Amino acid sequence: MTAAKEFRTYAQQVALLEARGMDVGDPEQAIERLRVNYYRMSGYWYPFRQFDSPEGPRRDEFFPGTTLSDVVQLYEFDARLRAATFAALAPVELRVRALLGHHLGEVDEVAHLRPDLLSARARQDRTYDKWRTDFQQRLDRSREDFVEHHRIKYGGVLPVWAAVEILDWGGLVWLFGFSPRGVQDEVAAAFGLRAPQLKSWLKSLNIVRNVCAHHGRLFNRAFALRPKLPPAHRARELDVTADFTRSFGQLTLVQYLLRASGERTTLLPAVMRSYPDVTRIPVTHMGAPRDWPHHDLW
């Protein structure tokens, strides 16, 4: 059996950071800060670690001038950013639910249970069967009043405009993908997008939402999915933004969807303006251009 990493007390953790070149300030205060969890905090001091070479791995030693105070400021900023992002995504999610439930309802009251009325993918792809199983499990567990009403009056069969209310974001994205292209187009058009674009955005933002929900590190994260964007000049506010696989690009999608929904778009910009003044880790580490406050969506 492989030996686990050696346990260290908080005092030993502080001493290790000092030995690697970090200015921890007052040791007792440093210990209090590390009670959050040494390994959770390590994600925030990782960019302060030196390189063996420009393309090589990080060393344990920190760049000169690294302080625990700067690390804590980034950690606290990220907590604010996660909370704001989760809140900003809520009206987007509700808008997609309402639109998808309405336009699928126009096809059939229980279109979500009728693969013959959905896309070819729903009839040919086994993921529809898995989605259907997950949906039924959510339905069985639900104690919502509207679900109980349908159990009593309609034998538990929810019309699609009610069914979307028990889906999580992932289940909603799958149902969007199973929907007829005409329904997808109707929903996407409400945001000024085409169906493949909105689908890719919803997949990307599902990951962002999960990061926020599970208290992951968001501020300088790189995302594997690259969202599909409208052609140049179709949505000019998206033309000037930097890398959409970085956090700032993903949050710009949120800003776009909020504006398209007629919602307030001031929450995320306010949090972004609170980015700490940390010389070695500027806001560009989020993928934000230096002039981001002057961009139309921000």
Side-chain angles (χ1 to χ4, degrees), residues 100 103-105 107-108 110-124 128 131-132 160 174-184:
L100 186 57
H103 290 297
L104 276 175
V107 174
D108 188 86
V110 289
H112 58 303
L113 305 179
R114 297 276 307 273
D116 57 305
L117 297 178
L118 299 175
S119 66
R121 183 180 183 190
R123 296 186 293 276
Q124 299 167 3
Y128 173 77
W131 177 89
R132 182 77 175 265
V160 65
W174 278 110
L175 182 57
F176 179 84
F178 293 137
S179 299
R181 180 56 187 265
V183 169
Q184 293 184 24

Side-chain angles (χ1 to χ4, degrees), residues 32 51 88 96 128 162 230 240 276 278 293:
E32 287 305 310
F51 294 98
V96 173
Y128 173 77
V240 294
V278 178

